[in-house]
Structure formats: structure tokens, C-alpha cells
Amino acid sequence: MGNVNINIDGRKIKAREGATILEVAEANEIKIPTLCHIKDQPPTGACRICVVEVAGSRTLMGSCHTPVSEGMVIYTNSPKVVAARRVIVELMLTAHTGDCVNDTNAENCVLHNLASDYEVGAPRFRVKVPRYYPAENSNPYVCRDLSKCILCRKCIRACSDIAGKNILSIAYRGFRSKVVMGFDEPLDSEECRDCGVCIEHCPTGALSAPVKV
């Protein structure tokens, strides 16, 4: 493959044909936020926080899976993009019922930081039944709090594609959807041990390492 000439936020850039907008942006130190993306792994486009505006397109496009093409003009932080990202973050916060106020690791939560960056306050949207799950601390290798989960699926892909264990999946439907192990078994199973890959890739603190005493 050859190279193509594109424009990102007013910068003329020569990019590898077939590369995604996100890959080109990262290579040129242009910041595009992501939640579900795992570097060097196939994109899923699940979170939509990486959307950008492409001149001539009727809709915003996910930068993680959209390849660049000759003459493409891209805006990563236009008013339209910022407005969309704010709504996406607000919707995620609606389902993200974890207690971030009392979480000492909140500064490591990507969603928490995005809400701060885009000045998103308390969600305007309300749900009849909040997504609340008790924290699970019985596993000596990983603690799980699904109330903080945003269903980005990064843990599932890290478990299968990086760790090669393939023990996590999505179960149920709609608002009841959640990440489960096996047939929605407790996390204290011996199948989940000595790894921590899912913890490394969780963007919200839904998965964390046990506190050693």
C-alpha cells in the first residue's frame, strides 16, 4: 500500500493507505479519546467516544475503524464532535452507578476523566431500575464491581485475544446486559487467576486488583 494525503484539524499529513483515522492521529500526537479501543487489536466501535467529523459526511464517524482516504479532511474537536461526545459520556454515566465520589482510584477512571474534560455534570437522564451489583472481593486475583461497568467489552477481548483464556462474555439483553464468567458464575472460580490482563484494560475501575494487607 502507498500513502495518502489528508488533513486533520488543519494539519496536512501524509498517512499510510489503509490506516484508520485513530492510528494516524496517534502517530501524529493528535489526541482522540477512546474507551473500548485496544491498541494493535481489531476495533469494535462499541463506545463511540472516538467519533470525528469528516468533511462531506452526513454523520460523525468512528475514528477507530474508519480508514483514511486521499484528500480526507477530518475535524477531531469540532463543536459537533464535542456535543456528541458530551451526550455519549452523559449516557454512560447514567448506567455507571458506581460510587466515584468515595473511590480513591477515581482519577484512574477514564470515564470520570472524560466527564471532567467535557464538563459533563450529573446525568439528566433517569432510569427506573439503576444498574447496581454488589462488589465481589472473594477472588484473590481480581475484584469486580459491575456497578462501574460500561459494557465496553475491553475485558472480554483482553481475556480472549491477549490472555487466550476466553472465559468472559456478555449475557442477558438490553439494560440487564452484563459481563459474566461462564454461565454467570461467581468470580471466585479457579478459572480466573494469575492473570490481571482484564484489570489492565478496564477503563472504569469495574475490575481492580485486591488491596494487599
Side-chain angles (χ1 to χ4, degrees):
M1 290 186 178
N3 292 325
V4 296
N5 297 293
I6 65 173
N7 187 300
I8 302 181
D9 296 337
R11 291 176 54 185
K12 295 180 180 179
I13 296 173
K14 189 178 291 293
R16 175 178 57 83
E17 185 179 5
T20 65
I21 295 174
L22 180 61
E23 288 173 333
V24 176
E26 289 180 338
N28 288 274
E29 299 183 345
I30 299 172
K31 177 64 176 177
I32 296 179
T34 64
L35 277 168
C36 69
H37 181 68
I38 298 179
K39 190 175 179 63
D40 299 325
Q41 294 294 323
T44 62
C47 72
R48 306 306 294 171
I49 199 68
C50 73
V51 292
V52 295
E53 185 175 358
V54 176
S57 175
R58 292 181 301 153
T59 61
L60 298 179
M61 307 181 77
S63 63
C64 68
H65 59 77
T66 303
V68 295
S69 59
E70 180 64 36
M72 183 178 277
V73 178
I74 303 158
Y75 305 97
T76 68
N77 206 36
S78 67
K80 188 175 181 180
V81 168
V82 171
R85 288 179 185 160
R86 292 191 68 186
V87 172
I88 291 168
V89 170
E90 186 176 3
L91 286 169
M92 287 185 177
L93 286 173
T94 301
H96 180 76
T97 55
D99 188 4
C100 294
V101 174
N102 296 318
D103 188 351
T104 56
N105 293 314
E107 70 276 5
N108 297 319
C109 174
V110 180
L111 181 62
H112 177 89
N113 292 330
L114 283 174
S116 176
D117 291 344
Y118 288 98
E119 300 180 341
V120 178
R124 296 165 294 168
F125 313 109
R126 294 291 179 267
V127 294
K128 293 182 178 179
V129 181
R131 290 179 65 248
Y132 172 77
Y133 302 95
E136 300 171 66
N137 302 307
S138 58
N139 188 301
Y141 309 102
V142 56
C143 297
R144 179 170 67 173
D145 185 350
L146 289 178
S147 296
K148 298 178 181 178
C149 178
I150 56 173
L151 300 175
C152 68
R153 294 166 171 76
K154 285 184 75 173
C155 60
I156 297 175
R157 293 160 57 216
C159 181
S160 61
D161 300 342
I162 299 176
K165 295 186 176 181
N166 201 30
I167 63 174
L168 299 176
S169 62
I170 290 284
Y172 309 107
R173 295 181 178 180
F175 204 68
R176 295 183 63 243
S177 297
K178 67 175 182 174
V179 176
V180 302
M181 184 179 70
F183 294 99
D184 200 1
E185 301 160 15
L187 202 61
D188 56 8
S189 168
E190 282 296 303
E191 288 186 80
C192 184
R193 57 177 297 170
D194 293 328
C195 179
V197 171
C198 58
I199 297 174
E200 295 175 23
H201 289 85
C202 178
T204 65
L207 301 172
S208 60
V211 178
K212 295 182 180 181
V213 294

